Amino acid sequence: MRKARLLTTAALAVASAALLAPPAAAAARDTGGGLEVNPSTVMPGSTVTVNTTACGSDGAATGDASAVGAGTFTLAPETHKENATGEFKVPPSAQPGTYEIAAQCSGSGADGKQVAGDLMVTITSTAAAREEQQVTPKGHVKTGVGGALGPDPVQTAAGVAALAVAAAGGTWLLHRRARGDRI
């Protein structure tokens, strides 16, 4: 019994380690630097800037935005922070969703290295979405329960009357039970 428990524990540990380990392709794909997409949420027709430090100080890259329908673009090295930067325009026909934008480094040091980042395309602008979230509610909450200060005094009176009848009936039943009468 003890050996079976030890073997089961060891098998579960190996299985969980295998599930938690990143796939080899993903580990080789993005080993540092990453691809920064700015802005990360856009509307169709917007211009997007991407940059990466993964290609080194004199490295350039070829970007691929074909997932969103923008095709390929070039990332050129900048003079500061070892950045390679490029731009592309999201087509006006792009559908809402999240798209992977990739870049493959070329040049000395990081030749062939791939990095990726996500771009989210929305129908509404982020400024309009923020305005919609800041709308304050007005009026009564219509939950169906009502309240003592509800908008309809007839319904409030009916509710109070129903509670009074229930209280009187409960008191009468408790009084009969205390006297020993059977219900």
Side-chain angles (χ1 to χ4, degrees):
M1 180 71 175
R2 183 174 168 100
K3 283 184 182 181
R5 189 175 296 160
L6 286 174
L7 289 174
T8 304
T9 304
L12 286 173
V14 169
S16 63
L19 288 174
L20 293 175
R29 181 174 196 187
D30 190 4
T31 58
L35 187 69
E36 184 179 321
V37 180
N38 193 14
S40 60
T41 302
V42 297
M43 291 176 45
S46 301
T47 300
V48 177
T49 303
V50 295
N51 64 49
T52 185
T53 57
C55 297
S57 61
D58 59 345
T62 301
D64 181 13
S66 58
V68 74
T72 60
F73 58 97
T74 303
L75 284 86
E78 285 186 355
T79 57
H80 66 286
K81 295 186 188 177
E82 301 181 346
N83 269 353
T85 303
E87 287 185 343
F88 66 92
K89 185 173 181 174
V90 178
S93 61
Q95 296 297 313
T98 302
Y99 299 93
E100 183 179 71
I101 309 301
Q104 185 168 4
C105 296
S106 58
S108 64
D111 195 23
K113 185 180 211 179
Q114 284 190 334
V115 290
D118 286 337
L119 172 70
M120 182 182 292
V121 177
T122 64
I123 296 175
T124 59
S125 69
T126 54
R130 275 189 233 115
E131 279 183 27
E132 288 176 14
Q133 291 175 356
Q134 294 177 357
V135 173
T136 56
K138 295 177 183 150
H140 298 282
V141 179
K142 300 191 188 275
T143 61
V145 177
L149 301 174
D152 188 5
V154 173
Q155 288 180 348
T156 303
V160 169
L163 286 174
V165 169
T171 303
W172 179 70
L173 286 174
L174 287 174
H175 180 67
R176 283 189 59 182
R177 186 171 186 186
R179 282 193 332 205
D181 296 344
R182 290 282 181 208
I183 297 177

